Short mmCIF file of all heavy atoms in Angstrom, two decimals:
data_model
loop_
_atom_site.label_atom_id
_atom_site.label_comp_id
_atom_site.label_asym_id
_atom_site.label_seq_id
_atom_site.Cartn_x
_atom_site.Cartn_y
_atom_site.Cartn_z
N CYS A 11 2.91 -9.51 0.85
CA CYS A 11 1.52 -9.44 1.27
C CYS A 11 0.59 -9.37 0.05
O CYS A 11 1.06 -8.82 -1.08
CB CYS A 11 1.19 -8.16 2.05
SG CYS A 11 2.10 -8.05 3.65
N ASP A 12 -0.59 -9.93 0.21
CA ASP A 12 -1.60 -10.02 -0.87
C ASP A 12 -2.79 -9.11 -0.42
O ASP A 12 -3.38 -9.28 0.67
CB ASP A 12 -2.03 -11.50 -0.94
CG ASP A 12 -3.08 -11.60 -2.04
OD1 ASP A 12 -3.67 -10.66 -2.59
OD2 ASP A 12 -3.38 -12.74 -2.43
N SER A 13 -2.99 -8.03 -1.25
CA SER A 13 -4.06 -7.14 -0.84
C SER A 13 -5.47 -7.61 -1.24
O SER A 13 -6.47 -6.99 -1.01
CB SER A 13 -3.80 -5.83 -1.56
OG SER A 13 -4.01 -5.93 -2.97
N GLY A 14 -5.54 -8.79 -1.95
CA GLY A 14 -6.87 -9.23 -2.38
C GLY A 14 -7.65 -8.30 -3.23
O GLY A 14 -8.82 -8.29 -3.16
N GLN A 15 -6.97 -7.47 -4.04
CA GLN A 15 -7.57 -6.45 -4.90
C GLN A 15 -8.43 -5.49 -4.23
O GLN A 15 -9.28 -4.91 -4.77
CB GLN A 15 -8.32 -7.17 -5.97
CG GLN A 15 -7.57 -8.28 -6.85
CD GLN A 15 -8.41 -8.92 -7.86
OE1 GLN A 15 -9.01 -8.30 -8.75
NE2 GLN A 15 -8.43 -10.24 -7.80
N ASP A 16 -8.05 -5.29 -2.95
CA ASP A 16 -8.83 -4.28 -2.16
C ASP A 16 -7.91 -3.05 -1.91
O ASP A 16 -6.88 -3.06 -1.19
CB ASP A 16 -9.08 -4.88 -0.74
CG ASP A 16 -9.93 -4.04 0.10
OD1 ASP A 16 -10.03 -2.75 -0.16
OD2 ASP A 16 -10.38 -4.51 1.19
N PRO A 17 -8.30 -1.92 -2.56
CA PRO A 17 -7.40 -0.64 -2.30
C PRO A 17 -7.22 -0.26 -0.94
O PRO A 17 -6.17 0.27 -0.51
CB PRO A 17 -8.13 0.42 -3.17
CG PRO A 17 -8.99 -0.40 -4.12
CD PRO A 17 -9.33 -1.64 -3.31
N VAL A 18 -8.24 -0.40 -0.01
CA VAL A 18 -8.19 -0.03 1.24
C VAL A 18 -7.13 -0.88 2.06
O VAL A 18 -6.25 -0.35 2.81
CB VAL A 18 -9.51 -0.15 2.02
CG1 VAL A 18 -9.41 0.19 3.51
CG2 VAL A 18 -10.56 0.82 1.33
N LEU A 19 -7.19 -2.17 1.81
CA LEU A 19 -6.19 -3.03 2.45
C LEU A 19 -4.80 -2.81 1.87
O LEU A 19 -3.74 -2.86 2.62
CB LEU A 19 -6.53 -4.46 2.20
CG LEU A 19 -5.67 -5.59 2.79
CD1 LEU A 19 -5.45 -5.40 4.26
CD2 LEU A 19 -6.18 -7.00 2.49
N GLU A 20 -4.73 -2.50 0.61
CA GLU A 20 -3.37 -2.21 -0.07
C GLU A 20 -2.73 -1.04 0.66
O GLU A 20 -1.50 -1.13 0.98
CB GLU A 20 -3.56 -1.96 -1.52
CG GLU A 20 -2.25 -1.65 -2.25
CD GLU A 20 -2.52 -1.30 -3.74
OE1 GLU A 20 -3.52 -1.69 -4.29
OE2 GLU A 20 -1.57 -0.66 -4.29
N GLU A 21 -3.47 0.05 0.83
CA GLU A 21 -2.87 1.12 1.51
C GLU A 21 -2.46 0.86 2.92
O GLU A 21 -1.35 1.22 3.40
CB GLU A 21 -3.94 2.28 1.54
CG GLU A 21 -3.50 3.51 2.36
CD GLU A 21 -4.52 4.63 2.31
OE1 GLU A 21 -5.53 4.51 1.74
OE2 GLU A 21 -4.18 5.61 3.01
N GLU A 22 -3.34 0.11 3.66
CA GLU A 22 -2.98 -0.39 4.99
C GLU A 22 -1.70 -1.12 5.05
O GLU A 22 -0.78 -0.91 5.93
CB GLU A 22 -4.16 -1.06 5.61
CG GLU A 22 -3.92 -1.52 7.00
CD GLU A 22 -5.12 -2.37 7.53
OE1 GLU A 22 -6.24 -2.07 7.21
OE2 GLU A 22 -4.87 -3.44 8.26
N LEU A 23 -1.60 -2.03 4.11
CA LEU A 23 -0.38 -2.85 4.07
C LEU A 23 0.97 -2.15 3.86
O LEU A 23 1.92 -2.33 4.41
CB LEU A 23 -0.43 -3.95 3.07
CG LEU A 23 -1.57 -5.12 3.37
CD1 LEU A 23 -1.78 -5.97 2.19
CD2 LEU A 23 -1.09 -5.92 4.50
N ILE A 24 0.81 -1.13 2.90
CA ILE A 24 2.01 -0.37 2.55
C ILE A 24 2.38 0.55 3.85
O ILE A 24 3.58 0.69 4.14
CB ILE A 24 1.74 0.53 1.32
CG1 ILE A 24 1.56 -0.33 0.09
CG2 ILE A 24 2.96 1.45 1.11
CD1 ILE A 24 1.13 0.43 -1.16
N ARG A 25 1.41 1.11 4.48
CA ARG A 25 1.75 1.90 5.65
C ARG A 25 2.38 1.05 6.76
O ARG A 25 3.29 1.48 7.40
CB ARG A 25 0.44 2.57 6.16
CG ARG A 25 -0.12 3.69 5.27
CD ARG A 25 -1.33 4.36 5.90
NE ARG A 25 -1.84 5.40 5.03
CZ ARG A 25 -1.42 6.60 4.83
NH1 ARG A 25 -0.32 6.93 5.54
NH2 ARG A 25 -1.94 7.45 4.02
N THR A 26 1.93 -0.12 6.97
CA THR A 26 2.43 -0.94 7.96
C THR A 26 3.86 -1.41 7.62
O THR A 26 4.77 -1.41 8.43
CB THR A 26 1.64 -2.27 8.12
OG1 THR A 26 0.30 -1.88 8.48
CG2 THR A 26 2.12 -3.21 9.26
N MET A 27 4.08 -1.85 6.38
CA MET A 27 5.42 -2.24 5.87
C MET A 27 6.40 -1.11 6.00
O MET A 27 7.58 -1.34 6.25
CB MET A 27 5.31 -2.70 4.46
CG MET A 27 4.82 -4.13 4.28
SD MET A 27 5.06 -4.72 2.57
CE MET A 27 4.87 -6.44 2.81
N ALA A 28 6.00 0.12 5.70
CA ALA A 28 6.88 1.28 5.70
C ALA A 28 7.60 1.44 7.00
O ALA A 28 8.76 2.04 7.07
CB ALA A 28 6.13 2.60 5.44
N ARG A 29 7.10 0.94 8.13
CA ARG A 29 7.76 0.98 9.38
C ARG A 29 8.77 -0.11 9.65
O ARG A 29 9.54 -0.04 10.60
CB ARG A 29 6.69 1.05 10.47
CG ARG A 29 5.74 2.19 10.44
CD ARG A 29 4.94 2.40 11.73
NE ARG A 29 3.97 1.19 11.87
CZ ARG A 29 2.74 1.14 11.41
NH1 ARG A 29 2.28 2.26 10.83
NH2 ARG A 29 2.00 0.17 11.62
N GLN A 30 8.73 -1.12 8.71
CA GLN A 30 9.60 -2.30 8.99
C GLN A 30 10.57 -2.64 7.96
O GLN A 30 11.43 -3.52 8.09
CB GLN A 30 8.61 -3.48 9.13
CG GLN A 30 7.50 -3.26 10.16
CD GLN A 30 6.48 -4.44 10.13
OE1 GLN A 30 6.87 -5.71 10.15
NE2 GLN A 30 5.21 -4.15 10.07
N VAL A 31 10.52 -1.99 6.82
CA VAL A 31 11.42 -2.29 5.60
C VAL A 31 12.02 -1.04 5.12
O VAL A 31 11.77 0.05 5.49
CB VAL A 31 10.65 -2.98 4.53
CG1 VAL A 31 9.93 -4.26 5.00
CG2 VAL A 31 9.51 -1.97 4.02
N ASP A 32 13.10 -1.25 4.22
CA ASP A 32 13.79 -0.13 3.60
C ASP A 32 13.02 0.33 2.43
O ASP A 32 13.20 1.50 1.98
CB ASP A 32 15.10 -0.53 3.18
CG ASP A 32 16.03 -1.12 4.31
OD1 ASP A 32 15.86 -0.49 5.41
OD2 ASP A 32 16.82 -2.07 4.16
N GLY A 33 12.12 -0.42 1.84
CA GLY A 33 11.31 0.03 0.64
C GLY A 33 10.32 -1.00 0.28
O GLY A 33 10.46 -2.15 0.75
N VAL A 34 9.33 -0.56 -0.47
CA VAL A 34 8.35 -1.50 -0.90
C VAL A 34 8.07 -1.46 -2.39
O VAL A 34 8.02 -0.41 -3.04
CB VAL A 34 6.99 -1.08 -0.24
CG1 VAL A 34 5.84 -2.07 -0.59
CG2 VAL A 34 7.08 -1.07 1.32
N VAL A 35 7.98 -2.71 -2.98
CA VAL A 35 7.62 -2.84 -4.37
C VAL A 35 6.01 -3.09 -4.39
O VAL A 35 5.49 -4.03 -3.71
CB VAL A 35 8.35 -4.12 -4.90
CG1 VAL A 35 7.77 -4.33 -6.47
CG2 VAL A 35 9.81 -3.84 -5.05
N VAL A 36 5.43 -2.27 -5.15
CA VAL A 36 3.92 -2.35 -5.22
C VAL A 36 3.59 -2.75 -6.65
O VAL A 36 3.80 -2.02 -7.58
CB VAL A 36 3.23 -0.98 -4.85
CG1 VAL A 36 1.75 -1.13 -4.88
CG2 VAL A 36 3.74 -0.50 -3.48
N CYS A 37 2.92 -3.92 -6.79
CA CYS A 37 2.50 -4.48 -8.05
C CYS A 37 1.03 -4.20 -8.49
O CYS A 37 0.15 -4.32 -7.62
CB CYS A 37 2.62 -6.00 -8.06
SG CYS A 37 4.31 -6.58 -7.91
N ALA A 38 0.89 -3.64 -9.69
CA ALA A 38 -0.41 -3.34 -10.22
C ALA A 38 -1.34 -2.70 -9.21
O ALA A 38 -2.47 -3.17 -8.98
CB ALA A 38 -1.05 -4.68 -10.70
N SER A 39 -0.89 -1.59 -8.70
CA SER A 39 -1.63 -0.84 -7.72
C SER A 39 -3.05 -0.41 -8.11
O SER A 39 -3.12 0.10 -9.25
CB SER A 39 -0.88 0.33 -7.11
OG SER A 39 -1.56 1.00 -6.09
N ALA A 40 -4.04 -0.53 -7.25
CA ALA A 40 -5.39 0.04 -7.55
C ALA A 40 -5.62 1.28 -6.83
O ALA A 40 -6.72 1.89 -6.95
CB ALA A 40 -6.43 -1.02 -7.09
N LEU A 41 -4.61 1.83 -6.16
CA LEU A 41 -4.75 3.13 -5.46
C LEU A 41 -4.75 4.32 -6.38
O LEU A 41 -4.14 4.25 -7.48
CB LEU A 41 -3.65 3.24 -4.40
CG LEU A 41 -3.63 2.19 -3.27
CD1 LEU A 41 -2.39 2.34 -2.43
CD2 LEU A 41 -4.94 2.44 -2.35
N ASP A 42 -5.38 5.41 -5.94
CA ASP A 42 -5.36 6.58 -6.75
C ASP A 42 -4.01 7.23 -6.69
O ASP A 42 -3.21 6.94 -5.76
CB ASP A 42 -6.46 7.61 -6.34
CG ASP A 42 -6.40 8.01 -4.88
OD1 ASP A 42 -5.42 8.81 -4.59
OD2 ASP A 42 -7.13 7.39 -4.00
N ASP A 43 -3.76 8.24 -7.58
CA ASP A 43 -2.46 8.77 -7.71
C ASP A 43 -2.01 9.53 -6.46
O ASP A 43 -0.91 9.50 -5.97
CB ASP A 43 -2.36 9.74 -8.82
CG ASP A 43 -2.38 9.05 -10.24
OD1 ASP A 43 -2.27 7.76 -10.24
OD2 ASP A 43 -2.37 9.75 -11.25
N GLU A 44 -3.02 10.20 -5.85
CA GLU A 44 -2.78 11.03 -4.68
C GLU A 44 -2.31 10.24 -3.53
O GLU A 44 -1.36 10.48 -2.79
CB GLU A 44 -3.99 11.92 -4.35
CG GLU A 44 -3.79 12.80 -3.12
CD GLU A 44 -5.03 13.69 -2.85
OE1 GLU A 44 -6.00 13.59 -3.62
OE2 GLU A 44 -5.07 14.42 -1.83
N THR A 45 -3.01 9.08 -3.28
CA THR A 45 -2.69 8.22 -2.23
C THR A 45 -1.32 7.56 -2.34
O THR A 45 -0.51 7.52 -1.46
CB THR A 45 -3.75 7.13 -2.01
OG1 THR A 45 -5.01 7.70 -1.77
CG2 THR A 45 -3.46 6.21 -0.84
N LEU A 46 -1.05 7.08 -3.62
CA LEU A 46 0.20 6.51 -3.87
C LEU A 46 1.38 7.50 -3.66
O LEU A 46 2.40 7.18 -3.11
CB LEU A 46 0.26 6.08 -5.38
CG LEU A 46 -0.02 4.52 -5.58
CD1 LEU A 46 0.04 4.24 -7.06
CD2 LEU A 46 0.85 3.65 -4.75
N ALA A 47 1.15 8.76 -4.15
CA ALA A 47 2.19 9.79 -3.94
C ALA A 47 2.48 10.04 -2.45
O ALA A 47 3.62 10.22 -2.01
CB ALA A 47 1.82 11.07 -4.66
N GLU A 48 1.46 10.06 -1.66
CA GLU A 48 1.59 10.27 -0.20
C GLU A 48 2.31 9.08 0.46
O GLU A 48 3.21 9.27 1.29
CB GLU A 48 0.18 10.46 0.48
CG GLU A 48 0.29 11.03 1.86
CD GLU A 48 0.16 9.90 2.89
OE1 GLU A 48 -0.59 8.98 2.63
OE2 GLU A 48 0.73 9.94 3.95
#
């Protein structure tokens, strides 16, 4: 998925993928540390 450099969309995509895959590779994340840790 392409987040379009949008942190809100990036978080949404990871949450959606988490239910469908074994793990997610996140490139050059723009999310804050707290959100990424969660």
Side-chain angles (χ1 to χ4, degrees):
C11 293
D12 182 342
S13 69
Q15 303 181 55
D16 181 349
V18 175
L19 180 56
E20 181 183 339
E21 178 181 355
E22 180 183 323
L23 290 171
I24 296 171
R25 289 187 184 278
T26 301
M27 278 189 167
R29 299 191 292 267
Q30 306 173 50
V31 299
D32 299 325
V34 181
V35 175
V36 183
C37 293
S39 177
L41 294 171
D42 59 77
D43 288 356
E44 184 178 353
T45 301
L46 265 181
E48 192 260 327

